[in-house]
Each structure stands twice: as C-alpha cells, then as structure tokens.
Amino acid sequence: KKRRKVVQEGRMSSQVIPLAARVNGLTVAVDAVRRTFISDRLSREAKVRYEVTLERQPAVEHNPFGLGVVHQSIHEEAMPGEKLK
C-alpha cells in the first residue's frame, strides 16, 4: 500500500539503461540496469534481464507485423552491497 501511494503521488520513477540485447528465434532478452528514484533521490539499483517471447499471428490492421507476446519475464539481481527484498 505504501509503495502504491508513493507511485500515485508521483514521487517514484524508474530509469532503465540497456546494456546488451540478444535474439534467439522469437525470444528477445535485454540486459539492463534499472534505477528507482523516490523524490529525485536514487533509492535502488539492480541488474535486470527482460525476456519476451513472441509468436507469429495473422497480420491484421491493428497488428500489421503479425506478432503477439506469449511470455514475458523480468529477472533481477541485486547490485553489490544490496539485498533483494
């Protein structure tokens, strides 16, 4: 509840800095550093890996490339000196 309130009041934001990307068929993985700020102060920094798996679908007007997301995940690793909650 407290975190939701902070976000709603507009005092929490995140910054994601991509470091590397890999493509294996229809699966894309992006390694990045994610920084979380509260009231303009760095609150947390973590290495993350975003993974998205796509599937081919019929191309239609609202999806002209014919790709749909079938799986997505985020893997997080604490930076040195920080514990994951």
Side-chain angles (χ1 to χ4, degrees):
K1 285 185 176 185
K2 183 179 179 183
R3 184 180 180 106
R4 182 179 295 164
K5 184 177 179 184
V6 170
V7 171
Q8 288 174 341
E9 291 174 357
R11 296 187 331 222
M12 180 184 263
S13 62
S14 292
Q15 175 187 49
V16 176
I17 302 167
L19 302 174
R22 290 175 308 289
V23 178
N24 182 10
L26 292 175
T27 298
V28 179
V30 178
D31 293 326
V33 173
R34 181 177 61 207
R35 296 179 179 147
T36 302
F37 296 87
I38 297 177
S39 298
D40 296 333
R41 294 181 66 186
L42 181 62
S43 168
R44 188 154 198 269
E45 188 171 76
K47 289 183 181 179
V48 293
R49 175 176 293 135
Y50 296 94
E51 293 182 2
V52 177
T53 301
L54 306 171
E55 74 174 0
R56 296 185 196 283
Q57 299 175 345
V60 293
E61 185 177 341
H62 64 273
N63 183 4
F65 296 104
L67 295 172
V69 175
V70 293
H71 176 78
Q72 60 184 1
S73 62
I74 301 172
H75 307 279
E76 185 173 326
E77 174 185 325
M79 297 295 273
E82 179 177 307
K83 295 180 182 176
L84 286 178
K85 296 178 182 177

